[in-house]
Amino acid sequence: METHTLETADADLVYDVRGPLPTTDGRPPLLMIGQPMDATGFVALAARFPERTVVTYDPRGLGRSVRKDGRVEYAPQTLAADVHAVIEALGAGPVEMFASSGGAVVALAVVAAYPADVTTLVAHEPPLITLTPDGPAAVRARAAVREAYEKRGWGAGMAAFVAMTSWEGEFTEAYFAQPEADPAAFGMPVEDDGSRDDPLLSSRSWAVSSYRPDVEAITAAPTRVVVAVGEESVNVQTGHTSVATAELLGLRVTVFPSHHGGFLDGEFGYPGKPDEFAHRLRQVLDGAS
């Protein structure tokens, strides 16, 4: 693996290349992106594609990438420009892309703004909460996560986030009537460390989850777009957002093994099924539906 730093006016973007460039297998590089997940989240999945040249990167202000624009919020269009810059720096033409969570939202913005950059996009569980039928309630639930974080710290905010993302069905009054989630019940710290800059729990990433894809631009692009959903996510929020995103683009979801982090092994907590996930991703990239 070779690590590179791309210096732009607004950020120093660090990316890793596993394998040769230009590629030797006749395939484009496979770029894996997340948000706010950085490159460390794709170690397990990248290792399961030894035959491919795999590229991962840290979004601006996360992991090893340094933000220089003086801002703290994350906007899909800005992040898409960063991804475009990385793709150009590779010098290997368009890429195939696996993008998960907020990264899937950013990837849709990439396809809309830079249609020549990506041949196939697998957008895994984009959390576009305003697209669902219960969008206003989902926005309210998102605000409650931030409120818990602001009032009681990271553990409380993360417990509220887990409660929100594991809730089955639409966000009804029964959801909002629940007692506040107890961080100790999730094995999270009860003490408040005083920080309030978490990109997941603060409002810094709200532009990502509130984004509305440019349907006309995406459907006009030559990119083959696949919206993926984990089989365990179907009844929870990211399952609903995946279906809503696919329907907006005139597509049907493609089912993958496991859950929202299905490509992870045990290093980040609740493990997925990375072997099965990689097998399914390989099938989809090869043209299977």
Side-chain angles (χ1 to χ4, degrees):
M1 184 178 76
E2 293 187 357
T3 298
H4 306 264
T5 300
L6 173 62
E7 296 184 6
T8 73
D10 292 337
D12 294 340
L13 303 171
V14 178
Y15 63 96
D16 304 309
V17 180
R18 298 169 174 82
L21 282 177
T23 64
T24 56
D25 61 357
R27 297 286 293 269
L30 174 55
L31 176 59
M32 301 178 177
I33 69 171
Q35 178 67 34
M37 178 178 283
D38 62 24
T40 59
F42 296 101
V43 171
L45 185 58
R48 286 163 171 81
F49 284 84
E51 77 283 8
R52 298 290 303 271
T53 295
V54 177
V55 181
T56 56
Y57 98 118
D58 292 348
R60 62 170 59 198
L62 299 172
R64 301 158 295 174
S65 290
V66 178
R67 191 164 195 167
K68 301 185 293 188
D69 59 357
R71 307 182 72 89
V72 296
E73 80 283 358
Y74 294 92
Q77 296 88 343
T78 301
L79 297 168
D82 289 346
V83 173
H84 170 67
V86 170
I87 292 171
E88 284 202 321
L90 296 176
V95 301
E96 292 184 333
M97 185 179 294
F98 171 73
S100 187
S101 194
V105 177
V106 173
L108 292 171
V110 171
V111 173
Y114 311 101
D117 277 7
V118 185
T119 59
T120 296
L121 165 63
V122 180
H124 179 246
E125 299 199 8
L128 295 171
I129 65 173
T130 64
L131 300 185
T132 60
D134 64 336
V139 169
R140 180 183 169 192
R142 180 183 66 180
V145 170
R146 183 188 68 171
E147 182 179 0
Y149 176 54
E150 292 291 341
K151 286 170 57 178
R152 298 163 51 212
W154 185 86
M158 198 65 197
F161 179 79
V162 171
M164 178 184 72
T165 54
S166 60
W167 178 261
E168 295 193 354
E170 295 190 346
F171 291 106
T172 62
E173 287 305 317
Y175 171 81
F176 296 104
Q178 298 178 107
E180 290 185 331
D182 178 9
F186 295 98
M188 296 170 186
V190 176
E191 299 78 16
D192 184 353
D193 68 1
S195 65
R196 294 296 184 272
D197 56 358
D198 188 285
L200 184 67
L201 305 177
S202 66
S203 60
R204 296 184 177 192
S205 296
W206 281 12
V208 173
S209 53
S210 295
Y211 180 69
R212 188 171 184 87
D214 186 335
V215 176
E216 184 175 348
I218 293 170
T219 54
T223 307
R224 171 184 170 236
V225 177
V226 177
V227 179
V229 64
E231 60 189 357
E232 297 176 33
S233 301
V234 173
N235 294 322
V236 298
Q237 186 183 47
T238 53
H240 302 159
T241 60
S242 300
V243 171
T245 302
E247 290 178 346
L248 183 70
L249 299 174
L251 304 170
R252 298 182 65 180
V253 292
T254 296
V255 177
F256 269 60
S258 199
H259 49 73
H260 191 64
F263 51 92
L264 300 170
D265 53 26
E267 77 273 37
F268 293 102
Y270 182 36
K273 299 177 180 177
D275 290 331
E276 295 92 332
F277 196 100
H279 176 71
R280 182 63 171 138
L281 178 57
R282 187 174 281 105
Q283 288 180 324
V284 172
L285 290 173
D286 287 345
S289 59

